[in-house]
Amino acid sequence: MAIMRIKEITDMTSAGRAKKLVDLRAELSRLKTMVHAGGAVDNPTRIRELRRTIAQILTIQNEKKLGIRQVAEEKEEKQEKKA
């Protein structure tokens, strides 16, 4: 089960993405600390989900900075208008 979908991430503001990124990194750090201390984690796959979501947020931020994401969104809008 995904923490956030790509559409949700792209719809967020850059400040919202940055805040979510900080929250996810804090949770990931807490879970990794528990694992390294030898404690049992309730949901071990949560670590993978967190890492994946963090990577998705960073990728979308980088794409928007480079202008790649905006071009893709414009193409989708044009296709929707044609249909």
Side-chain angles (χ1 to χ4, degrees):
M1 177 189 218
I3 297 172
M4 293 185 72
R5 305 234 181 259
I6 296 290
K7 182 71 175 161
E8 294 172 356
I9 297 171
T10 56
D11 291 342
M12 294 174 78
T13 63
S14 60
R17 278 193 301 271
K19 183 180 181 330
K20 188 67 173 179
L21 188 61
V22 169
D23 294 340
L24 292 174
R25 282 183 169 163
E27 185 179 351
L28 180 62
S29 176
R30 184 181 55 81
L31 287 175
K32 281 186 173 182
T33 303
M34 287 176 58
V35 169
H36 290 305
V41 180
D42 294 335
N43 188 1
T45 59
R46 179 80 174 159
I47 295 172
R48 181 183 294 173
E49 291 173 352
L50 288 170
R51 289 177 57 217
R52 181 177 176 175
T53 304
I54 289 169
Q56 288 173 339
I57 290 172
L58 290 173
T59 300
I60 290 172
Q61 282 181 339
N62 193 33
E63 287 176 350
K64 289 211 180 228
K65 184 174 78 172
L66 295 174
I68 298 170
R69 177 63 63 173
Q70 294 168 349
V71 173
E73 289 174 354
E74 289 174 2
K75 286 181 183 179
E76 290 176 1
E77 289 175 4
K78 287 180 183 178
Q79 290 177 353
E80 290 175 1
K81 288 180 182 178
K82 289 181 182 179

